Amino acid sequence: SAVISQKPSRDICQRGTSLTIQCQVDSQVTMMFWYRQQPGQSLTLIATANQGSEATYESGFVIDKFPISRPNLTFSTLTVSNMSPEDSSIYLCSAARDRDSGTQYFGPGTRLLVL
Amino acid sequence: SQQGEEDPQALSIQEGENATMNCSYKTSINNLQWYRQNSGRGLVHLILIRSNEREKHSGRLRVTLDTSKKSSSLLITASRAADTASYFCAPAGGGADGLTFGKGTHLIIQP
């Protein structure tokens, strides 16, 4: 398995500002992902964080709004830019150690409220 | 990856009873995974069953997979209050793609 931590665990932000969320894995992993969970909803994949190259975004998510970095095999950041109240969600990162099985281990999430 | 559909959407049982939830999917898979989420926290990986397996056990969990019917079931035996959570299935085609989650089954264990 993999132990994943996220910072911050929660935040309250003003409209128009940006927040960067950090995700740290306790060991090297093959893949890292970012998900969003809007209130009362299931998880939606935002993007795959690729080490050393640009992230791969899912339909409906763009780099200008959600820039992602992955400088090494244990760390990634997600920035939520120019926030609006609609961005209020839980943001979760996950990691897959094994490319074959695809089993993912999730961080505890970052609870974001935008006023 | 494809989205699984969990059924029922909500399930309420008495502590000590068994809980069964089902997952259906549409296209062939490499494996299927079950996850649990407590109160909006991160997901916890419960069990993975491969397409060539029919049944798998882990503690109080029993998972079955019927690839001909494109369905899976998760059985939790001797339920406890701590089992109260949302449960999600994730059919996967293999590789290392991100997962697609359905609405899940919200399980409530009543004391």
Side-chain angles (χ1 to χ4, degrees):
Chain A
S1 64
V3 177
I4 301 174
S5 59
Q6 286 184 233
K7 288 182 184 180
S9 59
R10 59 179 62 229
D11 208 342
I12 300 173
C13 300
Q14 295 297 318
R15 180 195 302 260
T17 62
S18 298
L19 176 71
T20 295
I21 302 168
Q22 299 180 5
C23 177
Q24 179 73 55
V25 189
D26 67 340
S27 57
Q28 293 185 355
V29 291
T30 304
M31 309 293 288
M32 294 183 74
F33 305 91
W34 287 97
Y35 293 83
R36 179 177 72 182
Q37 186 172 30
Q38 295 176 300
Q41 303 297 313
S42 185
L43 280 75
T44 301
L45 179 65
I46 297 173
T48 302
N50 300 310
Q51 193 264 328
S53 64
E54 190 172 290
T56 304
Y57 290 85
E58 298 298 306
S59 176
F61 297 95
V62 295
I63 188 171
D64 290 346
K65 176 66 176 177
F66 298 101
I68 288 170
S69 77
R70 189 181 173 193
N72 56 50
L73 293 176
T74 64
F75 185 77
S76 178
T77 67
L78 167 75
T79 299
V80 186
S81 303
N82 188 25
M83 288 184 286
S84 67
E86 291 72 34
D87 294 319
S88 297
S89 296
I90 299 173
Y91 292 85
L92 301 103
C93 72
S94 72
R97 183 182 307 286
D98 182 352
R99 183 178 288 273
D100 179 52
S101 74
T103 297
Q104 294 187 20
Y105 303 96
F106 284 79
T110 294
R111 192 178 295 266
L112 171 63
L113 177 63
V114 183
L115 302 177
Chain B
S1 62
Q2 62 181 296
Q3 179 175 314
E5 288 192 23
E6 297 88 354
D7 177 70
Q9 290 192 14
L11 179 61
S12 180
I13 62 173
Q14 296 293 320
E15 193 168 16
E17 294 181 338
N18 296 342
T20 299
M21 54 203 82
N22 302 296
C23 170
S24 60
Y25 57 92
K26 295 183 178 178
T27 62
S28 63
I29 58 173
N30 174 276
N31 65 72
L32 186 142
Q33 303 169 42
W34 285 91
Y35 291 83
R36 182 187 74 222
Q37 184 179 36
N38 293 87
S39 301
R41 300 295 291 171
L43 272 67
V44 173
H45 180 260
L46 295 176
I47 197 166
L48 179 151
I49 186 166
R50 299 189 183 280
S51 60
N52 61 353
E53 298 175 310
R54 292 295 168 261
E55 186 171 315
K56 201 164 183 178
H57 297 254
S58 176
R60 294 184 295 114
L61 305 180
R62 171 178 169 256
V63 169
T64 63
L65 179 63
D66 187 334
T67 54
S68 67
K69 295 182 179 178
K70 294 185 174 58
S71 67
S72 174
S73 67
L74 171 66
L75 168 68
I76 304 173
T77 61
S79 62
R80 306 168 181 169
D83 295 327
T84 294
S86 292
Y87 292 81
F88 299 92
C89 69
D97 295 332
L99 298 175
T100 303
F101 293 95
K103 295 181 179 179
T105 292
H106 184 47
L107 175 64
I108 296 174
I109 308 299
Q110 298 184 0

